[in-house]
Amino acid sequence: MEVKAVIFGILVGILKPFIIAGAALSCNKSTWQYEELSHSDYWSSNLDSYTTLYGATNVYNGPTGFLMESADYQVPDNCTCGVLKTWTLRAATNGTLRLQVWEHVNSDTYFFKGENHFTVPAGAVNEIIEFEVPPKDRITIRNNYLIGWYTESAGSVIAFRTASGLPDEQRANTNLNPDLIVDELFDWSASPENTLVDHVFAIAAKSGENTAPQFTNLPRSVKIYGDATSETFIYKIEAGDIDSYDVPSLRITLNDDATFPFYYNRTTQRVFLGESGPAIGTYTMTFTVDDQCGNSNNETLTIDVLNWSPSMSGLPAFYTFDEETTEEVTLVNVTLTDRDNSTWNIQGALNVVPANTAITLGNWGHDNTTRRIVSFNANTATPYTGNQQFIMDVQFTDGIYTTDQGYFLLYVTANARPKITNLNNGAQATVSYLETASGDFVYAVSATDAENDPLTWSMTCEPSQCPFKINEDGVITATSDFIRTYVPGYDLLISVHDPLHANDPRNGTLTVLVNDIDDKPTISNLPLAYPLGVSENTPLGTSVYTVSYIDLDPGDTHTIQAQYSPTWGANYFYLNETTGILTTAFNVLDYEDVMTQYGIVSQLDVHVQVNDGSDWSDGNLTLEVLNVNEPPAFHQTKYTMEPDEQGAKGVGSATWGNWGHVVEDQDMLVANTAEIHTFTWDCGESTRFFLMDRFNGSVSFATAFDYDTANMTSPFDCVVTVTDKEGLTATTLLEVELIDSNDNGPVFPQQTDYYIFQVPDLAAGRFVGQVTATDADRSSPNNDIYYTFSTNPFSKGYVVINDFGNIYVNETWKPLFQYGVSYNLVVLAENVNDVTGTRQTATASVTILITGTSTTTSSTTDKPSDFLEDTRNVAWFSVEVALGGALLLLLSGLALFYTVQVKRYRWCVPFLRKKLLGLSKMTRAEKRRYYAAILREEAGGDDEEEVAHLTVGEPHITQVDSPAPPMMWNKRQTHLPKGPSVRRAPEPAVYKEPRPPLKPSMDPK
């Protein structure tokens, strides 16, 4: 049995790495135990029973191993490969434990898989102990592994309990070797051995994930040279695992590439060169390491095959030659070597300081192992400068590596420069301002050259505008005359060089003086640093500026002239040719006119020239026309506005309130925004009825307005003032003529009936009474009232009413009218628009009562006045009553006197008679007829005789004007300027009625 177990164990150990190869195995975190070791209420009774120390009093009280064969203590199936992370146990006593893991081989034989050492301290007895294994000591586990322990203390250390029905699979063995190695077989049936029946121990284990292995010296890069030989050792690959029980089983493999010149020995884990002289380049070898759980990692080994760098000899060195050398010269030879025998491909680089393209690098020798630095001057344009050294560095490369730099020095001896012999110590020459002409000889410059090289001459001048030239032989001549040049002298910088010194010529200076130069006049006070301002409206002849000049020739005659840009300046300014005084002239400056006619630019450039007959000088003066604020002005001295007679507040501004005013302001010709106008006005007491807009001058009602009720008279004048932004003003007269509308009709002042008391014997033409209405309109014809009878009780026209409301007798009442009789009439007051025919009317009831007196009264139902009840009114009222009584008495006497005299004595009181009866304007014939009719009536004459009547209608040709109000008849006769008219009326019809017929209900009330 033991032999079979040993053979089986060996086979498992050999085949295990191949069995687990492939996908990595895993292990879920789980705990395996018989029952949970916790302090929960559910387990408290069982946990408390784990207090017995097994074997303390028998054969197991010495070194003993314990193995938990019960399935409850085996690694679960879901842990295919992991590590044992934590031990959990309850100890019945203190002591040292070797907590172990076993792998079952057959019924009694097991592989030892590892152990963790733990010592139970005395203070932890009968406590739940959790021992987390350090990562480096964790044992690799797989499903169905078993747990156990070994202790040299008396008894099991770990507490147990026993009861019927508990597992029978636990074992104890005192023959267990304490120094087992991993994967060592042990037969647990060896004597002395005891199978523990109905026993469970307070021990549990918890799994964790297995960690993947790592390379310890990869990735890495190593270098070798291309001349290395076969079997050269390159590198050893090493790996490790934090799970120490995985380390013996680690396997390192190479992902082989057959094209690599290297191979890997798996046994020694070493990399070797497989062939001699590997190709230059970089090779990457990828290695894989995996553990017994299938966890793996990949890393690379990079091998660089390098090339040997070439080397050279023969430098440093130096060489010297003359700068005029023209043949090819080998300056130095350089020898090259290369261990890779690649000199055929070696390239060289030559750097010359200062740069010179005539110095080159060439090849020499059969295998190009020699290089030479060559100088070749032929057919080149003087590549060297005398007394010069060239520092050269050279370097070679085989395409991968380069040699160290080598240095070479070349010295070139100089060619002598030519020398100028007659320009030393301030050489001078002179020319004449008046006589020297173009082509005249000025000076001959001489030079020598040691090598007799051909010479080239050149020249520059100061000032730069030089009227000279130098010829090929060094002779200097004039290129123009000197009139109006006014330069007192010139410095000529002369250069000469030979072919080898074009960039390094020999120089000399010649000073040429000009004699008898005319002095040029110079303007001393121009230009100005700023424009000179000239205000618009400046009076003509005003001095603006005086041009000053300086001329050292006192006998010269000078003329001063000006040109203007833009040319409009000539229309406003004049520069005196002699004095140089610039004045305003020709036209008065107007800023707005200039801006509108000549554009928006108000500045003027004046080009001034002072001429002495031979030469002149120029100067510029800028003038700026300054805008001066000018007062506004109205186009008219008087304007008229005709508002409607009534309107609401604010009405009028868009209609009659825009009174057509135009304000002219020169400042607004440039831009509307250049000026701002505000309006005010003064209409006296009438100002309060209107408002004027401050900015546009439009007028509107200040409040609800009615001309008929306003305390004012139209037309009236207003003074309107416009003010610009700087306070300048202008005024005009605005006449306001209110348009009276016919918006009121006639109104009788009393609402009750009118009563007229008269005697019954009134003759034709006699005044009966007056009934008048009022019209609130302010003007005629809107307030003209015309009266007629709308109701007349008489079938014949016994009474008539004129346009003033005066009622007259039309036919003699006597003897038809009787005392005690009353007559009712209705008077119609009428206002008629003659254009539209619109009528506005009012009526009043009039009752004529035939009594012994002549009065007109109105009825009233008002309460008697309480005036006298106030004692304060008694005193002065008494005086008024006395005066009124006296006046009444006087008037009564006069009326009686007048009546008696008029009736009986025509010669008495003629003035009163004429005025009251309207006889002053009658013709003599009319007066005779009138008086005859009165006499006949008094004498009881025949009614068929000729009688004068006052009638209503168109005037007769014989009518005359009369100012007497009682006789005024027709206000509508507009062609008659004033007064009533008396005309001969057609003969009236003869009525023989005993009295005027009455209409029903005519009795007085």
Side-chain angles (χ1 to χ4, degrees):
M1 176 66 69
E2 292 181 359
V3 174
K4 291 181 180 179
V6 171
I7 295 173
F8 178 78
I10 293 172
L11 291 175
V12 171
I14 296 173
L15 297 176
K16 187 183 302 180
F18 301 99
I19 294 173
I20 65 174
L25 304 177
S26 63
C27 181
N28 296 331
K29 294 180 180 180
S30 57
T31 301
W32 58 98
Q33 58 192 359
Y34 178 77
E35 54 193 2
E36 182 178 357
L37 300 179
S38 67
H39 295 282
S40 65
D41 294 339
Y42 179 79
W43 292 107
S44 60
S45 60
N46 292 333
L47 184 62
D48 292 341
S49 64
Y50 284 101
T51 58
T52 306
L53 182 63
Y54 180 79
T57 58
N58 53 37
V59 69
Y60 301 106
N61 61 358
T64 305
F66 295 86
L67 179 65
M68 304 292 101
E69 284 190 320
S70 172
D72 299 301
Y73 295 101
Q74 296 181 8
V75 178
D77 290 339
N78 60 6
C79 184
T80 56
C81 192
V83 293
L84 196 153
K85 181 179 180 181
T86 305
W87 294 93
T88 304
L89 55 93
R90 184 173 189 178
T93 185
N94 61 316
T96 301
L97 297 173
R98 296 187 182 187
L99 302 172
Q100 298 175 335
V101 176
W102 294 87
E103 180 184 4
H104 185 250
V105 178
N106 55 28
S107 59
D108 297 314
T109 306
Y110 293 83
F111 278 124
F112 174 72
K113 304 304 293 183
E115 65 184 7
N116 300 128
H117 293 254
F118 182 75
T119 299
V120 178
V125 175
N126 291 324
E127 298 292 338
I128 299 298
I129 299 172
E130 286 192 357
F131 166 46
E132 184 171 343
V133 182
K136 65 182 182 62
D137 296 331
R138 292 173 182 172
I139 304 168
T140 301
I141 60 176
R142 304 188 69 178
N143 55 314
N144 298 321
Y145 279 15
L146 293 83
I147 61 174
W149 67 92
Y150 173 81
T151 179
E152 294 181 353
S153 302
S156 61
V157 178
I158 295 175
F160 80 99
R161 71 185 180 92
T162 181
S164 176
L166 293 179
D168 299 333
E169 291 86 354
Q170 278 57 269
R171 296 190 183 207
N173 194 308
T174 59
N175 197 32
L176 183 63
N177 181 7
D179 298 320
L180 292 172
I181 61 174
V182 176
D183 288 333
E184 181 177 345
L185 284 171
F186 179 74
D187 186 355
W188 279 84
S189 63
S191 178
E193 179 268 340
N194 184 25
T195 299
L196 306 179
V197 179
D198 297 330
H199 282 67
V200 292
F201 286 83
I203 186 171
K206 182 183 293 185
S207 63
E209 291 289 342
N210 186 275
T211 304
Q214 302 288 334
F215 285 98
T216 59
N217 62 348
L218 291 182
R220 187 62 57 87
S221 176
V222 297
K223 295 177 175 56
I224 65 173
Y225 284 94
D227 60 346
T229 60
S230 177
E231 299 302 323
T232 298
F233 167 71
I234 305 298
Y235 198 71
K236 180 179 180 181
I237 309 300
E238 295 178 351
D241 197 322
I242 193 172
D243 300 326
S244 58
Y245 286 87
D246 287 346
V247 173
S249 65
L250 294 182
R251 183 181 62 166
I252 299 175
T253 58
L254 169 67
N255 299 337
D256 293 330
D257 189 335
T259 61
F260 281 4
F262 309 97
Y263 70 90
Y264 170 66
N265 187 316
R266 186 177 298 174
T267 302
T268 62
Q269 298 180 180
R270 293 172 178 259
V271 178
F272 296 93
L273 179 62
E275 58 186 36
S276 298
I280 306 300
T282 299
Y283 302 87
T284 301
M285 304 177 70
T286 302
F287 293 88
T288 300
V289 58
D290 48 29
D291 59 14
Q292 58 182 317
C293 286
N295 298 314
S296 63
N297 254 315
N298 297 323
E299 289 295 350
T300 59
L301 173 66
T302 302
I303 302 174
D304 293 319
V305 179
L306 306 179
N307 185 21
W308 287 103
S309 61
S311 61
M312 64 179 175
S313 60
L315 292 178
F318 69 93
Y319 192 89
T320 301
F321 68 70
D322 188 273
E323 68 173 324
E324 295 180 279
T325 301
T326 58
E327 69 275 5
E328 180 178 323
V329 176
T330 298
L331 303 179
V332 68
N333 289 322
V334 179
T335 301
L336 302 176
T337 58
D338 194 325
R339 290 179 57 178
D340 297 323
N341 296 320
S342 57
T343 57
W344 286 95
N345 299 319
I346 291 178
Q347 302 295 322
L350 176 67
N351 181 40
V352 181
V353 180
N356 193 307
T357 57
I359 302 175
T360 61
L361 182 65
N363 297 332
W364 191 259
H366 177 69
D367 57 358
N368 288 331
T369 57
T370 303
R371 301 291 190 273
R372 62 176 182 170
I373 300 175
V374 179
S375 174
F376 186 62
N377 250 1
N379 301 321
T380 61
T382 60
Y384 306 114
T385 300
N387 294 332
Q388 182 183 16
Q389 69 177 11
F390 293 89
I391 300 176
M392 289 164 266
D393 61 82
V394 62
Q395 201 169 30
F396 297 92
T397 179
D398 61 2
I400 300 176
Y401 296 103
T402 58
T403 64
D404 295 334
Q405 284 185 331
Y407 294 93
F408 179 78
L409 273 67
L410 170 64
Y411 295 93
V412 180
T413 59
N415 175 274
R417 294 188 301 160
K419 296 180 179 180
I420 299 176
T421 60
N422 61 343
L423 291 183
N424 299 323
N425 301 321
Q428 290 185 350
T430 60
V431 294
S432 173
Y433 176 83
L434 300 175
E435 298 178 357
T436 301
S438 177
D440 287 354
F441 172 83
V442 177
Y443 195 79
V445 184
S446 61
T448 61
D449 186 81
E451 293 82 15
N452 292 321
D453 293 330
L455 302 179
T456 300
W457 297 89
S458 62
M459 182 180 68
T460 59
C461 292
E462 179 63 35
S464 59
Q465 301 297 325
C466 183
F468 306 100
K469 70 174 182 178
I470 189 167
N471 301 315
E472 294 180 356
D473 56 358
V475 176
I476 299 173
T477 58
T479 58
S480 66
D481 59 32
F482 292 85
I483 301 298
R484 289 191 297 275
T485 57
Y486 304 101
V487 179
Y490 299 87
D491 288 329
L492 308 184
L493 179 61
I494 300 167
S495 300
V496 62
H497 63 82
D498 60 15
L500 294 178
H501 297 90
N503 296 326
D504 186 24
R506 187 77 69 176
N507 299 320
T509 301
L510 173 67
T511 300
V512 180
L513 302 177
V514 182
N515 294 332
D516 303 324
I517 298 177
D518 176 59
D519 188 64
K520 177 180 179 180
T522 303
I523 298 176
S524 60
N525 60 347
L526 290 180
L528 296 180
Y530 49 85
L532 185 63
V534 182
S535 299
E536 64 171 326
N537 303 321
T538 299
L540 296 179
T542 301
S543 176
V544 176
Y545 194 72
T546 300
V547 178
S548 301
Y549 62 88
I550 300 173
D551 194 335
L552 299 180
D553 296 329
D556 290 347
T557 300
H558 300 88
T559 302
I560 306 174
Q561 296 177 330
Q563 290 182 338
Y564 302 92
S565 178
T567 57
W568 58 262
N571 298 331
Y572 298 93
F573 297 95
Y574 170 72
L575 181 64
N576 189 290
E577 294 183 351
T578 303
T579 63
I581 298 176
L582 181 67
T583 60
T584 57
F586 310 119
N587 299 286
V588 176
L589 275 171
D590 188 312
Y591 179 86
E592 291 76 19
D593 183 62
V594 170
M595 295 292 283
T596 55
Q597 290 194 44
Y598 306 111
I600 63 173
V601 179
S602 61
Q603 288 192 347
L604 173 69
D605 292 329
V606 183
H607 179 74
V608 180
Q609 186 179 88
V610 179
N611 194 319
D612 66 356
S614 298
D615 202 356
W616 58 85
S617 62
D618 299 316
N620 289 300
L621 171 66
T622 300
L623 301 179
E624 181 171 358
V625 180
L626 303 179
N627 187 19
V628 176
N629 186 49
E630 296 167 294
F634 287 99
H635 273 197
Q636 299 174 205
T637 58
K638 183 176 180 180
Y639 294 86
T640 301
M641 182 176 67
E642 296 182 345
D644 294 333
E645 72 138 335
Q646 64 179 356
K649 179 180 179 181
V651 171
S653 61
T655 53
W656 53 261
N658 185 0
W659 41 283
H661 61 285
V662 177
V663 177
E664 183 180 83
D665 195 326
Q666 292 294 316
D667 298 321
M668 296 185 67
L669 296 178
V670 178
N672 289 334
T673 58
E675 190 57 271
I676 298 175
H677 293 141
T678 56
F679 294 84
T680 57
W681 70 340
D682 183 5
C683 304
E685 292 184 357
S686 301
T687 307
R688 57 198 171 99
F689 295 110
F690 302 92
L691 291 177
M692 174 170 282
D693 188 277
R694 186 169 180 267
F695 296 104
N696 60 34
S698 64
V699 180
S700 61
F701 287 123
T703 183
F705 182 81
D706 190 340
Y707 178 51
D708 296 328
T709 60
N711 184 19
M712 62 180 298
T713 302
S714 172
F716 57 87
D717 291 334
C718 302
V719 177
V720 180
T721 303
V722 61
T723 306
D724 68 10
K725 65 182 180 182
E726 293 189 10
L728 299 180
T729 63
T731 60
T732 188
L733 193 65
L734 174 61
E735 182 182 76
V736 181
E737 176 72 43
L738 288 165
I739 300 175
D740 185 26
S741 300
N742 191 4
D743 56 342
N744 296 290
V747 176
F748 285 97
Q750 67 182 46
Q751 302 298 319
T752 59
D753 292 348
Y754 289 83
Y755 291 91
I756 300 175
F757 299 87
Q758 281 293 352
V759 296
D761 56 350
L762 291 181
R766 295 298 299 273
F767 175 74
V768 178
Q770 186 180 38
V771 180
T772 57
T774 60
D775 192 319
D777 291 323
R778 293 287 293 263
S779 62
S780 176
N782 295 335
N783 59 1
D784 290 344
I785 302 175
Y786 310 105
Y787 300 90
T788 59
F789 291 121
S790 65
T791 301
N792 190 338
F794 305 113
S795 59
K796 296 179 66 175
Y798 285 97
V799 292
V800 293
I801 187 168
N802 68 1
D803 287 344
F804 296 93
N806 297 326
I807 302 174
Y808 292 92
V809 176
N810 188 47
E811 291 188 20
T812 302
W813 289 4
K814 183 180 179 181
L816 303 178
F817 286 68
Q818 303 296 323
Y819 288 104
V821 180
S822 63
Y823 302 94
N824 293 331
L825 301 91
V826 177
V827 176
L828 175 67
E830 181 180 27
N831 174 267
V832 181
N833 188 316
D834 293 334
V835 177
T836 63
T838 303
R839 300 171 67 249
Q840 300 183 75
T841 62
T843 60
S845 297
V846 179
T847 302
I848 300 176
L849 295 103
I850 306 302
T851 65
T853 59
S854 300
T855 59
T856 302
T857 64
S858 60
S859 64
T860 178
T861 58
D862 292 340
K863 176 182 180 295
S865 174
D866 295 333
F867 177 77
L868 295 179
E869 295 177 3
D870 189 347
T871 58
R872 294 173 297 178
N873 299 325
V874 173
W876 64 267
F877 180 70
S878 299
V879 176
E880 293 292 338
V881 169
L883 293 175
L887 181 62
L888 181 60
L889 181 62
L890 177 62
L891 292 177
S892 299
L894 290 175
L896 179 61
F897 179 78
Y898 167 76
T899 302
V900 172
Q901 293 300 320
V902 169
K903 288 291 186 176
R904 296 184 178 183
Y905 305 101
R906 289 183 290 110
W907 51 267
C908 187
V909 199
F911 175 77
L912 293 175
R913 183 173 68 248
K914 289 182 179 181
K915 289 295 181 181
L916 293 174
L917 298 179
L919 301 178
S920 61
K921 298 298 182 177
M922 290 185 181
T923 62
R924 291 179 179 271
E926 289 174 334
K927 290 180 180 179
R928 285 195 296 269
R929 287 195 297 270
Y930 180 79
Y931 291 133
I934 296 299
L935 292 175
R936 284 194 300 271
E937 183 180 357
E938 291 177 352
D942 189 359
D943 290 338
E944 294 180 352
E945 295 180 1
E946 183 177 5
V947 181
H949 299 276
L950 294 178
T951 62
V952 178
E954 294 298 325
H956 191 266
I957 189 65
T958 60
Q959 72 183 15
V960 293
D961 294 337
S962 175
M967 296 299 292
M968 184 177 290
W969 199 255
N970 190 349
K971 291 189 290 187
R972 280 173 281 193
Q973 300 177 24
T974 56
H975 60 282
L976 296 178
K978 57 183 177 177
S981 298
V982 178
R983 67 178 182 176
R984 181 177 179 84
E987 292 295 329
V990 178
Y991 296 94
K992 299 299 183 178
E993 299 173 343
R995 66 175 58 85
L998 301 179
K999 293 182 180 180
S1001 302
M1002 295 297 291
D1003 293 333
K1005 297 179 181 179

